[in-house]
Amino acid sequence: MAEVILENITKSFGKTEVVHNVSAHFHDGEFIVIVGPSGCGKSTVLRMIAGLEEVSGGNIKIGDKLVNNLEPKDRRIAMVFQNYALYPHMNVYNNMAYGLRLQKHSKVEIERRVQEAAQLLQLGEYLQRRPRQLSGGQRQRVAMGRALVRKPEVFLFDEPLSNLDAKLRHQMRVELKKMHKNLGTTMIYVTHDQVEAMTLADKIVVVNKGRIEQIGSPDEIYNAPASMFVAGFIGCPPMNFLPAQHSNGGLSLENGFIIPAKDLLIPSDTRQLIVGIRPEKIEFSHLQRESGWLEVDIDFIEKLGSGKLLYTTIGPQQLILSMANGDDRHITRGWIRFPAEALYFFSHQDGSLLKVKSS
Amino acid sequence: MLKRVHFKPSPLPYFLVAPQLLITIVFFLWPASQAIYQSMLVEDAFGLSTEFVWFNNFIELFSDGFYLDTLYRTLFFSAAVTFISLSSALIFAALADRVIGAATTYRTLLIWPYAVAPAVAGALWMFMFDPTIGIVAYFLDLVGYDWNHRVNGSHAMLLVILASSWKQISYNFLFFFAGMQAIPKSLIEAAAIDGAGPARRFWTIIFPLISPVTFFLLVMNIVYAFFDTFGIIHAVTKGGPAKATEILIYKVYNDGFIGLDLGGSAAQSVILMIIVIGLTIVQFRYIERRVEY
């Protein structure tokens, strides 16, 4: 078990720098999820920790050891790949035993560890099978088993669930979380799926264009996003963004509607800003309301089973409302309100969060 | 569910396969049957009369010490050529697989020998090793080794083996290289994390995974050594000295066109035909079965 420290990591391929100055401190036993859109450099960061890519600048420490120039095998890590990377010509047992044999463990020890992992992952009856005779979920388990038997200090996962179907993905997610609870080993997990990030992580690292946008617990990331990017990336459906301007007594939207803001302190030093609100925080009523409520047409409704999403537009901007079930009437119009305490304010220029003065 | 599209019967498919059938008949079935027929004939020295002798030509061949010598020589030659060209190509491909910088240049250079005609390749090696003017012979002489493939049978054999192998390395390299490129990179990375160094990764991961390619090339190289090396041998040694480099295919030519023993030569070519048919069957029968993983 070990902590992982990244100090000003950069990575360049030729002249293009793809990871800029990434620093982070991951504590021992934490489940870290690095999340970001595809091509943001999150996998590159993971591969640098694994030693599969050289770092162009900065330091990586695992435990208290500087590992920049260590071979992958000497870093006491194990990695699970997106395509599982099982050795197709070896059976499940040998896939798991391969690394142990190279570490020169005794036959008895290898047998013990493989059986232990097989039992934990319910692979007992498949030990003699080749990878191609297994289903996607089973292959996934073998890949985990291969990482597990090494008893590493850090587990690295590179989008391990993205090749599974939705149901299996959920199941494996739960198992992974359990595994982490039992082992207590540091795990670093890369994904583009914000649901996986929210459900698995002790600490989320949101990466965009090779930079860390925010590091924090899932609650912090969700409730106090540091930028428009984080706010829009985490949460499903994503946060709504509406350009607005200061005006007398509130914030005026593009269609002229004024969000009353007498009692809320809005960032006063900027005239132009962007207002964000989560879909589930918008209040909706199909009864006519008066001041402070905006009348909107509902374009269409997406039913999710447990709830529904209403789509509407304000000026050119699409707005999504998330609602619980209940009223099954066909809704075509209604009145909405933006509760002042649920609003976020972002800079018009760079999307960074604007602080409200009083808080 | 229908597995294939059904059309009304039409003569069109027969027209479409007709050219291929025609080529097979004119250039393979007809000459092959002629060869089989010829292999049962004996002609007198002046070509005035022929006699049908059934399998006498074959019986004579297998009781002929020279023929059996040639057969063993061919086996040795093929084994040597196959081993050298496969193993060097494997090494080159493994190295090229790790090259990132000038990969294209390196690959192109390695492929060139394949574009050289056998006779030209033979001439090239002959000049290099020529006992009087050859550069290699000159250097060998400097270190005190007397090279002369014109009188020394072992030298001659070594030379044609080298020349024939050199010619085939490019072909093998291409296949090995393609096979290695097809292995997912993450497999190699997983092995690296598991603690395998480059050499062990090669023998425990890469080599087993390209075994279908290896098997295919093994058969192709044996066929090459048996049949396609005629040009090189003809250019370099003409089968000599004293038949030291005469392999089966060269003996067919020698006995038939130089010795004018048409019946015996035809019988030899029929035997070669049987060998190549056998190799092809092995290829088709086992290539998909044995090397599965």
Side-chain angles (χ1 to χ4, degrees):
Chain A
M1 288 191 231
E3 55 181 10
V4 177
I5 301 168
L6 311 180
E7 288 172 354
N8 303 316
I9 300 296
T10 57
K11 176 71 188 175
S12 312
F13 291 109
K15 276 183 185 158
T16 37
E17 195 174 273
V18 292
V19 173
H20 321 279
N21 231 7
V22 164
S23 296
H25 190 145
F26 304 143
H27 295 285
D28 183 16
E30 270 184 327
F31 200 124
I32 315 290
V33 175
I34 304 178
V35 65
S38 53
C40 72
K42 57 188 188 299
S43 282
T44 311
V45 171
L46 190 78
R47 291 168 60 81
M48 285 193 285
I49 298 173
L52 299 172
E53 302 277 0
E54 275 177 37
V55 287
S56 308
N59 290 326
I60 296 178
K61 287 179 189 162
I62 297 177
D64 40 15
K65 213 162 45 170
L66 185 69
V67 297
N68 279 23
N69 298 315
L70 282 188
E71 288 288 312
K73 65 181 165 104
D74 300 325
R75 297 190 179 197
R76 288 178 297 177
I77 48 119
M79 185 157 167
V80 176
F81 292 83
Q82 182 177 359
N83 63 359
Y84 317 140
L86 300 178
Y87 311 125
H89 57 298
M90 298 181 195
N91 63 23
V92 171
Y93 184 93
N94 287 332
N95 259 286
M96 293 203 263
Y98 182 78
L100 296 177
R101 290 200 184 113
L102 290 174
Q103 290 176 353
K104 307 251 185 282
H105 286 287
S106 72
K107 259 203 159 110
V108 186
E109 172 72 3
I110 294 174
E111 174 78 22
R112 196 181 62 74
R113 286 206 199 175
V114 172
Q115 291 297 350
E116 195 181 278
Q119 201 185 353
L120 189 71
L121 296 162
Q122 295 146 33
L123 283 168
E125 50 188 309
Y126 305 112
L127 284 176
Q128 297 310 317
R129 296 223 193 145
R130 295 274 174 92
R132 70 186 167 91
Q133 296 164 311
L134 301 176
S135 70
Q138 289 163 341
R139 284 180 208 184
Q140 174 61 54
R141 274 181 231 273
V142 178
M144 299 246 186
R146 193 170 61 181
L148 216 57
V149 292
R150 290 171 55 78
K151 297 202 194 297
E153 299 197 329
V154 180
F155 280 101
L156 306 175
F157 297 94
D158 190 4
E159 311 210 10
L161 304 185
S162 55
N163 284 1
L164 300 178
D165 61 59
K167 199 175 163 191
L168 213 50
R169 203 179 306 159
H170 178 244
Q171 193 186 328
M172 289 304 293
R173 215 162 67 203
V174 175
E175 284 181 30
L176 203 60
K177 190 75 188 166
K178 270 191 212 154
M179 201 167 103
H180 177 246
K181 219 175 197 173
N182 291 336
L183 297 172
T185 313
T186 315
M187 294 189 175
I188 304 177
Y189 185 107
V190 161
T191 181
H192 60 262
D193 183 350
Q194 53 94 20
V195 179
E196 280 174 24
M198 290 299 287
T199 52
L200 286 170
D202 295 325
K203 189 188 264 181
I204 295 180
V205 180
V206 185
V207 180
N208 184 30
K209 293 180 184 156
R211 286 195 173 78
I212 293 184
E213 291 266 342
Q214 190 174 3
I215 301 180
S217 72
D219 284 343
E220 279 166 13
I221 299 274
Y222 190 79
N223 294 323
S227 67
M228 237 173 107
F229 175 81
V230 177
F233 193 77
I234 302 288
C236 178
M239 186 185 275
N240 295 297
F241 296 110
L242 300 164
Q245 283 192 335
H246 276 274
S247 74
N248 290 336
L251 290 159
S252 123
L253 298 183
E254 280 186 335
N255 67 345
F257 176 72
I258 294 175
I259 302 176
K262 277 184 189 127
D263 12 83
L264 76 118
L265 291 159
I266 42 181
S268 51
D269 39 354
T270 36
R271 267 188 63 74
Q272 287 268 351
L273 46 74
I274 288 170
V275 175
I277 184 162
R278 297 247 175 233
E280 67 272 18
K281 291 288 166 72
I282 302 176
E283 286 174 24
F284 178 82
S285 166
H286 42 261
L287 302 171
Q288 182 156 6
R289 302 293 186 104
E290 291 302 325
S291 70
W293 290 75
L294 171 65
E295 185 178 2
V296 289
D297 291 325
I298 302 301
D299 300 330
F300 65 97
I301 299 173
E302 237 180 3
K303 293 195 174 167
L304 302 174
S306 58
K308 57 193 167 190
L309 301 177
L310 308 183
Y311 285 76
T312 180
T313 48
I314 292 184
Q317 235 58 37
Q318 188 178 58
L319 194 74
I320 304 175
L321 291 73
S322 169
M323 285 177 64
N325 276 332
D327 196 347
D328 274 345
R329 263 180 299 176
H330 188 64
I331 308 163
T332 53
R333 62 183 15 227
W335 284 262
I336 57 171
R337 196 176 83 88
F338 304 102
E341 65 280 5
L343 295 181
Y344 296 90
F345 304 101
F346 299 101
S347 155
H348 187 70
Q349 278 95 26
D350 60 3
S352 61
L353 187 77
L354 299 174
K355 290 264 171 5
V356 178
K357 274 193 176 157
S358 74
S359 59
Chain B
M1 212 168 71
L2 284 177
K3 282 212 170 143
R4 41 191 293 191
V5 188
H6 285 267
F7 295 107
K8 279 184 188 159
S10 137
L12 183 66
Y14 301 102
F15 279 120
L16 294 179
V17 294
Q20 178 63 51
L21 279 179
L22 204 67
I23 287 169
T24 311
I25 291 166
V26 172
F27 292 102
F28 178 68
L29 291 181
W30 186 16
S33 56
Q34 283 292 310
I36 293 170
Y37 176 64
Q38 186 103 56
S39 71
M40 298 177 186
L41 298 179
V42 166
E43 206 159 343
D44 73 295
F46 302 100
L48 296 175
S49 64
T50 47
E51 192 190 340
F52 192 79
V53 295
W54 287 107
F55 297 104
N56 275 0
N57 283 331
F58 292 92
I59 294 164
E60 206 170 304
L61 270 183
F62 284 104
S63 48
D64 177 4
F66 286 127
Y67 185 73
L68 293 177
D69 284 350
T70 311
L71 182 65
Y72 300 140
R73 194 181 298 125
T74 310
L75 292 178
F76 170 75
F77 173 78
S78 306
V81 169
T82 305
F83 177 77
I84 292 174
S85 61
L86 275 180
S87 52
S88 356
L90 190 63
I91 292 167
F92 288 144
L95 295 177
D97 199 32
R98 293 171 66 83
V99 170
I100 302 162
T104 332
T105 323
Y106 186 63
R107 260 178 285 159
T108 314
L109 287 175
L110 273 167
I111 290 159
W112 270 356
Y114 193 59
V116 177
V120 177
L124 180 78
W125 283 80
M126 191 184 69
F127 275 120
M128 283 201 302
F129 281 86
D130 190 284
T132 45
I133 59 165
I135 183 86
V136 180
Y138 172 73
F139 284 122
L140 285 172
D141 196 43
L142 282 187
V143 296
Y145 191 83
D146 186 17
W147 173 274
N148 194 339
H149 67 262
R150 296 219 178 98
V151 293
N152 186 323
S154 310
H155 288 179
M157 189 51 137
L158 185 63
L159 184 55
V160 288
I161 287 174
L162 283 179
S164 307
S165 306
W166 175 77
K167 185 88 177 60
Q168 191 65 3
I169 286 173
S170 307
Y171 181 84
N172 297 344
F173 168 79
L174 268 184
F175 278 87
F176 276 136
F177 188 68
M180 288 179 191
Q181 296 275 296
I183 297 174
K185 218 173 144 244
S186 58
L187 273 184
I188 311 298
E189 291 172 347
I193 290 178
D194 267 343
R200 192 179 284 267
R201 288 203 292 269
F202 182 81
W203 288 114
T204 57
I205 308 289
I206 297 175
F207 191 68
L209 288 180
I210 55 168
S211 61
V213 178
T214 312
F215 186 71
F216 164 78
L217 286 178
L218 184 70
V219 176
M220 292 309 287
N221 277 264
I222 294 172
V223 172
Y224 163 80
F226 259 74
F227 301 98
D228 293 345
T229 46
F230 177 86
I232 289 173
I233 292 174
H234 194 58
V236 178
T237 63
K238 293 207 162 40
K243 297 198 186 298
T245 53
E246 189 187 65
I247 63 166
L248 288 175
I249 190 80
Y250 203 82
K251 192 170 165 62
V252 171
Y253 163 80
N254 240 356
D255 288 0
F257 293 88
I258 311 296
L260 291 177
D261 173 12
L262 293 183
S265 166
Q268 291 178 32
S269 68
V270 169
I271 292 169
L272 280 177
M273 198 159 71
I274 291 167
I275 292 173
V276 82
I277 288 171
L279 282 172
T280 315
I281 290 172
V282 168
Q283 173 99 329
F284 280 122
R285 280 289 294 273
Y286 295 102
I287 194 157
E288 273 145 27
R289 203 154 10 120
R290 201 198 73 78
V291 286
E292 61 171 56
Y293 52 77

